[in-house]
Amino acid sequence: MKKNRFVLGQSPVNGDILLIIEDFTWFSIHNVEIVDWMQDNLPRGANHQQGMVLTFDNEQQRSWFLLKWA
């Protein structure tokens, strides 16, 4: 059974649109590629990641990310 790479979420505090990294092994293997993609495609680049959480400004950004990496 394939493990999910991410879990969709929304912050209960401020409503931020989130992805929680579930498959950290996969994420760490692809980290350089993902960070490069974030730098090229997201307004805050790698600053969208804080630990095991990715934060997005809107649903469209999160969808772009998932289309590429999920």
Side-chain angles (χ1 to χ4, degrees):
M1 186 167 160
K2 181 180 171 188
K3 183 174 185 177
N4 291 332
R5 294 178 182 167
F6 306 99
V7 176
L8 299 176
Q10 188 167 7
S11 171
V13 176
N14 57 12
D16 281 350
I17 299 164
L18 310 173
L19 281 178
I20 301 162
I21 300 166
E22 184 172 5
D23 187 350
F24 186 74
T25 302
W26 176 88
F27 192 85
S28 63
I29 290 168
H30 296 91
N31 189 53
V32 172
E33 296 169 85
I34 293 169
V35 169
D36 287 346
W37 184 91
M38 290 169 67
Q39 292 293 92
D40 293 341
N41 294 284
L42 297 175
R44 291 181 278 124
N47 290 331
H48 283 269
Q49 180 183 0
Q50 298 294 320
M52 297 286 288
V53 177
L54 302 170
T55 306
F56 300 92
D57 300 331
N58 53 53
E59 288 285 346
Q60 185 179 27
Q61 288 178 359
R62 182 167 69 179
S63 294
W64 289 340
F65 184 90
L66 287 171
L67 285 170
K68 175 69 178 174
W69 299 107

